[in-house]
Amino acid sequence: MDLFRFKRDIPFMSYGKVTTLISLITFIAAVFFLFTKGLNFSVEFTGGTVIEVQYENEGADPNRVRSRLAELKMGEAQVQTLGTNKQLMIRLPNKEGVSSAQLSNQVLELLKQDHPDVSLRKVEFIGPQVGEELVNHGLLALLMVVVGIIIYLSVRFEWRFALSAIIANMHDVVVILGCFALFQWEFSLTVLAGILAVLGYSVNESVVVFDRIRENIRKPAMRGKPIPYIIDNAITATMSRTIITHGSTEAMVIAMLLFGGPALEGFAIALTIGIVFGIYSSVLVASPLLLFFGLTRENIIKPPKQKEEAVV
């Protein structure tokens, strides 16, 4: 279905050097912020106290609860509902000299100022060792996804295509991490899930574009056409699909970001950034890299071997 038709091919490759330079600068900046500022890990990674409270008569406003907990000066508190706003789960970072029991009592006293009917359901302490295990498991999951993508692309495509797609996908991940480091947004398990989703999403876009490029190279009508022209034609042919697919997905993710609340905020931010850069990298990073690696028609269509004539 082509809701958006382009009468002429868009000359993407004529801007290839500029877009590649922009991508390189963005990548270096993201790495710089990762090393200088680092990620702002959530309680799941750093350790802390998880408190569950219940309201008997009237539900509580999570935003009001957050503002109350700010009076403790314990750092950023995570508050989310458990089904209804009568049950809340509160995550607070550890503080030296304050035990979980003392912290839960302080939280309960603050909350009772607004709702005397609130009661404590459960208190759990997450130690630094558990947080370290989560970091290791999260990095292992990310590494396994990356290795799986590398194997898949290496099997499916010629090495120039595979390497270009791998670089573009790693570019997306580093840019997302760099944004979280720059703005010190909280990096939680939901954010990690968002990054893993972006990896698959970006790979899919690269595969669609590269498949069309390979088809174009094999078409008899494209014989004699230069490779940049073939790539521009392939990208333009997939633009309608890209606009429809990514536009509808981005609209859903933005709605999640605006109305999903703090519990989904990090996940939605990671997806929002990832979808935008996924399109950018597939079109304006991976495709110019094909030219950089010297893609030719002979890389796709192997010339037939001439049989040697028997010498009489």
Side-chain angles (χ1 to χ4, degrees):
M1 181 185 295
D2 290 334
L3 296 180
F4 304 92
R5 295 188 178 182
F6 300 89
K7 295 181 180 179
R8 296 181 180 179
D9 293 341
I10 304 172
F12 291 105
M13 294 304 99
S14 62
Y15 307 104
K17 292 182 179 179
V18 177
T19 56
T20 303
L21 178 61
I22 294 173
S23 301
L24 181 61
I25 294 172
T26 306
F27 182 87
I28 294 173
V31 173
F32 172 77
F33 291 126
L34 276 172
F35 277 99
T36 55
K37 289 195 168 186
L39 293 172
N40 178 24
F41 289 107
S42 67
V43 174
E44 294 109 332
F45 294 110
T46 60
T49 302
V50 178
I51 303 171
E52 290 186 15
V53 296
Q54 182 168 351
Y55 294 81
E56 296 297 333
N57 301 322
E58 184 181 355
D61 179 10
N63 292 324
R64 174 62 179 168
V65 172
R66 288 188 196 93
S67 62
R68 272 294 184 189
L69 294 175
E71 298 177 16
L72 292 174
K73 297 180 180 180
M74 295 281 295
E76 186 175 355
Q78 299 179 31
V79 181
Q80 64 185 84
T81 57
L82 296 174
T84 66
N85 59 353
K86 287 190 175 183
Q87 293 182 355
L88 298 181
M89 182 170 64
I90 302 168
R91 291 189 180 97
L92 287 167
N94 291 325
K95 187 175 182 180
E96 189 176 351
V98 180
S99 65
S100 296
Q102 292 173 332
L103 182 59
S104 60
N105 291 331
Q106 293 176 11
V107 169
L108 199 59
E109 289 176 5
L110 277 175
L111 298 183
K112 282 187 175 182
Q113 294 178 15
D114 294 326
H115 293 272
D117 60 328
V118 65
S119 60
L120 195 64
R121 292 187 62 200
K122 185 171 63 174
V123 179
E124 291 182 352
F125 174 74
I126 302 176
Q129 184 177 1
V130 176
E132 185 179 352
E133 289 179 2
L134 284 174
V135 172
N136 294 334
H137 292 166
L139 291 175
L140 180 61
L142 184 60
L143 179 62
M144 290 177 65
V145 171
V146 170
V147 171
I149 289 173
I150 291 173
I151 294 173
Y152 167 73
L153 293 173
S154 301
V155 171
R156 176 156 184 173
F157 291 104
E158 194 259 349
W159 73 266
R160 293 171 181 83
F161 287 90
L163 185 58
S164 299
I166 291 167
I167 293 174
N169 291 327
M170 296 307 102
H171 168 270
D172 297 341
V173 172
V174 173
V175 167
I176 295 173
L177 294 175
C179 289
F180 272 83
L182 172 61
F183 298 106
Q184 286 296 289
W185 291 326
E186 191 174 60
F187 190 87
S188 61
L189 288 174
T190 56
V191 175
L192 180 60
I195 291 176
L196 295 178
V198 166
L199 269 172
Y201 203 82
S202 183
V203 167
N204 178 66
E205 183 64 22
S206 299
V207 168
V208 169
V209 174
F210 283 177
D211 272 342
R212 184 57 65 95
I213 293 174
R214 288 195 307 184
E215 290 174 7
N216 276 3
I217 291 176
R218 293 191 176 103
K219 286 180 180 178
M222 289 290 177
R223 288 177 182 172
K225 300 290 185 182
I227 294 297
Y229 175 86
I230 292 175
I231 295 176
D232 288 338
N233 180 269
I235 296 173
T236 304
T238 60
M239 284 299 292
S240 178
R241 172 204 168 273
T242 299
I243 294 172
I244 295 171
T245 304
H246 295 279
S248 57
T249 307
E250 192 70 68
M252 180 272 295
V253 172
I254 291 176
M256 190 188 305
L257 177 62
L258 296 176
F259 307 110
L264 294 176
E265 185 177 24
F267 179 77
I269 290 175
L271 281 178
T272 301
I273 299 172
I275 290 173
V276 172
F277 276 94
I279 300 171
Y280 176 85
S281 65
S282 298
V283 175
L284 299 174
V285 177
S287 298
L289 283 175
L290 292 175
L291 300 178
F292 177 78
F293 293 137
L295 177 67
T296 62
R297 190 182 302 274
E298 288 72 23
N299 299 139
I300 305 300
I301 305 175
K302 302 297 181 183
K305 295 182 179 180
Q306 295 181 352
K307 296 182 179 180
E308 296 183 359
E309 296 181 0
V311 179
V312 179

